Amino acid sequence: MATTRLNIINAMLGANGVDPVSSDDSTDPDVNSCLPVLTSADRDIQARGWWCNQEYNLTLVPDTAGHILLPSNVLKVDPVDRSSWLVRRGTKLYDPQNHTFVIGTSVLVNMVVQLPISDLPDTLGSYLEAYCVHKFYVKDDGDTDKANNLLKERNIAFTLAWREHVAALNLNARDRPQVARLIGGIRFGGGVGTYNPKYPGGR
């Protein structure tokens, strides 16, 4: 079941002994105290860059003024060309060498984007929820023993999310020809049928 903003808010309230609410845009003061924690945590956690919220080799095209506008949900952007000096400034890419927003040409980038909470995979949504519950409880000076238990739950949730992240990256890497050859034990530059005994399957 997908995690939602409402799920997380109610989990935060429940940890403090507050009754759940029926809407995540409630004007209830308790809900309002949850929102800054949730908003900050959601952005910080997704900005790490996970298997599910990264875009690779995306072409950004300049507008008629030569400016490259960034999507509203972008958290990080990095030109694929390692010699590029282009950086993010506000909602655009900026050239700090020539001191201008006028790029004038398409740019290939990798991006980390912020997904809606309901679109997060279960493990990452559960980690976000556990993180928010612990942070909110500690913020309100909760009981030390309970805070420690919530921290353990948060760490377990992170571990599960991280395992899925690593597994997904490994799966993606195996789809790349160079990595597939490496896993198969073929020595680079050795020609067809040349194996590297240092790797599984080599001889």
Side-chain angles (χ1 to χ4, degrees):
M1 183 177 179
T3 304
T4 65
R5 279 170 51 90
L6 183 59
N7 293 153
I8 295 176
I9 289 170
N10 281 332
M12 294 165 74
L13 295 176
N16 282 26
V18 179
D19 291 336
V21 295
S22 58
S23 173
D24 61 10
D25 60 0
S26 169
T27 57
D28 186 293
D30 290 316
V31 173
N32 289 336
S33 65
C34 291
L35 293 179
V37 175
L38 174 54
T39 300
S40 174
D42 182 29
R43 184 178 180 86
D44 290 348
I45 288 174
Q46 291 204 48
R48 177 191 289 267
W50 298 82
W51 78 99
C52 56
N53 73 331
Q54 300 193 61
E55 301 283 345
Y56 300 99
N57 299 316
L58 182 67
T59 301
L60 299 181
V61 179
D63 62 13
T64 55
H67 298 173
I68 293 184
L69 302 177
L70 298 172
S72 60
N73 65 339
V74 66
L75 295 173
K76 292 181 180 178
V77 60
D78 185 28
V80 172
D81 180 0
R82 290 300 160 192
S83 66
S84 173
W85 287 77
L86 297 179
V87 296
R88 175 186 181 181
R89 284 202 182 171
T91 60
K92 303 177 185 178
L93 283 183
Y94 178 76
D95 182 350
Q97 283 189 307
N98 296 303
H99 319 294
T100 181
F101 284 103
V102 179
I103 310 301
T105 186
S106 297
V107 179
L108 200 63
V109 300
N110 297 326
M111 290 197 314
V112 176
V113 299
Q114 186 169 11
L115 301 176
I117 291 174
S118 58
D119 286 349
L120 296 177
D122 289 344
T123 55
L124 191 54
S126 295
Y127 171 51
L128 174 60
E129 180 176 313
Y131 183 98
C132 288
V133 169
H134 172 252
K135 189 169 184 178
F136 185 66
Y137 187 77
V138 171
K139 175 176 172 287
D140 276 11
D141 297 323
D143 173 74
T144 301
D145 289 339
K146 183 172 181 178
N148 288 337
N149 288 333
L150 292 174
L151 178 59
K152 290 177 183 178
E153 292 178 7
R154 165 180 158 180
N155 289 338
I156 291 171
F158 171 78
T159 298
L160 294 175
W162 186 252
R163 284 178 181 173
E164 186 170 358
H165 172 70
V166 172
L169 292 186
N170 287 342
L171 182 62
N172 290 339
R174 287 170 186 264
D175 290 335
R176 299 173 190 165
Q178 283 187 321
V179 178
R181 288 198 298 271
L182 183 64
I183 292 172
I186 300 175
R187 183 188 296 114
F188 295 118
V192 176
T194 303
Y195 293 85
N196 186 345
K198 293 183 180 180
Y199 298 102
R203 62 178 183 267

